[in-house]
Amino acid sequence: MLFPMRDYYTPGEVAERFDLTLDTLRYYEREGLLRRVDRAPSGHRRYRADDVELLGLIRCLRDTDMPIARLREFAELVQAGDHTIHDRLDVLQRHQDLLDRRIAELRAHQTAIQHKIDYYVGVLADNAPRPAEETP
Amino acid sequence: MLFPMRDYYTPGEVAERFDLTLDTLRYYEREGLLRRVDRAPSGHRRYRADDVELLGLIRCLRDTDMPIARLREFAELVQAGDHTIHDRLDVLQRHQDLLDRRIAELRAHQTAIQHKIDYYVGVLADNAPRPAEETP
DNA sequence: ATGGGGCCTGGAGTGCACTCCAGGTCAAGC
DNA sequence: GCTTGACCTGGAGTGCACTCCAGGCCCCAT
């Protein structure tokens, strides 16, 4: 689905765009990751373009395991206005550093697991060098 | 602390080696990640070298987010004997594939976050090109 | 013999991030 | 007028992986 360029977006549209449930969207709002979202006269939420943009970043940060609490702090900086850009940069840069370390750690563990795999492959090769031959 | 080469290891030694709590160690045993561990006459646990080795792998797999349930399946294969090596390889190889994808995903998100960082840096640069100069 | 350290048990509690639910409203289409 | 679908609310429930606790036992050193 192509996401249209509009002033307001419905919960369903936003949920689909970011592959979140409506419940999660409301949960994020409750937790202060989004400001109090606008409403249609019916009471239904109407997300603005900047809500959607922030949600995009939130999604990214959640997908890289930033906890809700830190996301809330970040969202508060966003709400507080442009003078907090330095602080926001700080949060994001620290997160990148953490991600660097996390990726390096994953790769190190992957290497260790590979050694185990290689060991098992060796065991299999020793136990059955050729199908038609008995190991004495 | 140098981990000594012995037949049996105490809970404290094992916990320190893998940076786990005693509670977690017991929890893993309860969850079937380890066989029913040997006991000293006092009732205290005595981990064998192969328990420790398996724990090393478990630690690695947990650190790369393999859920306890899959770890238990793996542990059951280990208990079942050498004829399950092929299945164990399968589990490990799938996990490596998953890790490849996870790392790629993290890197992609990292790139996206970097764009946001670059944007913020740009905003800061525009707002204050030189400290001693007013922006008209 | 006394005190401390290390460990034991069963079971309850925690924190996180959702996820589900009942009962209701609203706007549009038949 | 009635149904359908999208959304609303407050609050409860879920799943995972630990984590904590009370009360107790064993062994060693003072």
Side-chain angles (χ1 to χ4, degrees):
Chain A
M1 171 221 191
L2 262 175
F3 199 72
M5 189 57 180
R6 269 188 279 113
D7 279 2
Y8 284 104
Y9 304 88
T10 67
E13 286 168 345
V14 175
E16 184 178 356
R17 161 135 188 206
F18 294 115
D19 195 26
L20 297 169
T21 65
L22 296 181
D23 274 320
T24 301
L25 226 40
R26 287 190 288 260
Y27 166 70
Y28 283 175
E29 188 178 338
R30 265 203 311 281
E31 291 298 306
L33 272 47
L34 265 45
R35 62 182 184 90
R36 224 55 183 168
V37 171
D38 293 351
R39 300 302 174 110
S42 64
H44 289 197
R45 285 175 179 76
R46 288 294 110 101
Y47 294 88
R48 295 193 315 228
D50 60 334
D51 294 325
V52 172
E53 197 195 317
L54 180 53
L55 257 172
L57 183 55
I58 286 171
R59 190 64 163 121
C60 224
L61 294 170
R62 273 299 302 137
D63 281 350
T64 50
D65 303 315
M66 184 180 287
I68 298 291
R70 197 155 337 140
L71 244 44
R72 176 171 33 237
E73 287 166 25
F74 185 83
E76 279 162 8
L77 291 176
V78 172
Q79 282 306 298
D82 286 357
H83 66 282
T84 65
I85 287 187
H86 195 85
D87 293 334
R88 292 183 227 170
L89 262 173
D90 207 60
V91 173
L92 294 185
Q93 195 55 65
R94 279 176 202 281
H95 187 64
Q96 294 288 68
D97 293 349
L98 204 138
L99 258 177
D100 280 339
R101 287 197 292 280
R102 176 67 178 147
I103 290 172
E105 190 194 319
L106 288 182
R107 276 149 107 22
H109 287 314
Q110 217 183 11
T111 302
I113 296 165
Q114 193 58 48
H115 288 149
K116 197 75 185 182
I117 288 179
D118 293 345
Y119 165 75
Y120 277 147
V121 168
V123 172
L124 282 188
D126 284 355
N127 284 0
R130 263 148 281 159
E133 203 175 294
E134 296 291 314
T135 27
Chain B
M1 173 220 188
L2 263 176
F3 199 72
M5 188 61 178
R6 270 189 278 112
D7 279 2
Y8 284 102
Y9 304 88
T10 66
E13 287 168 345
V14 175
E16 183 179 357
R17 161 135 188 207
F18 294 115
D19 194 26
L20 296 170
T21 66
L22 297 182
D23 274 320
T24 300
L25 226 39
R26 287 190 289 260
Y27 166 69
Y28 284 174
E29 187 178 339
R30 266 203 311 283
E31 291 298 307
L33 271 47
L34 266 44
R35 63 182 183 90
R36 225 53 184 166
V37 171
D38 293 351
R39 301 300 176 112
S42 64
H44 290 196
R45 285 176 179 75
R46 288 295 111 100
Y47 293 88
R48 295 194 314 230
D50 60 336
D51 294 326
V52 172
E53 197 195 318
L54 180 53
L55 257 172
L57 182 55
I58 286 172
R59 188 65 163 121
C60 224
L61 295 170
R62 273 299 303 138
D63 282 351
T64 51
D65 302 315
M66 184 180 287
I68 298 290
R70 197 157 334 141
L71 243 40
R72 176 170 35 235
E73 286 166 25
F74 185 83
E76 279 162 9
L77 291 177
V78 171
Q79 281 307 297
D82 284 358
H83 65 282
T84 64
I85 288 187
H86 195 85
D87 294 334
R88 292 184 227 170
L89 262 174
D90 207 61
V91 172
L92 295 185
Q93 196 55 65
R94 280 176 201 280
H95 187 64
Q96 294 288 66
D97 293 350
L98 205 139
L99 257 177
D100 281 339
R101 288 197 292 280
R102 176 69 178 146
I103 290 172
E105 190 194 318
L106 288 181
R107 277 150 106 21
H109 287 314
Q110 217 184 11
T111 303
I113 295 165
Q114 193 58 49
H115 288 148
K116 196 75 184 183
I117 289 178
D118 294 345
Y119 165 76
Y120 277 146
V121 168
V123 171
L124 283 187
D126 285 355
N127 284 1
R130 262 150 283 158
E133 204 174 292
E134 296 293 315
T135 28

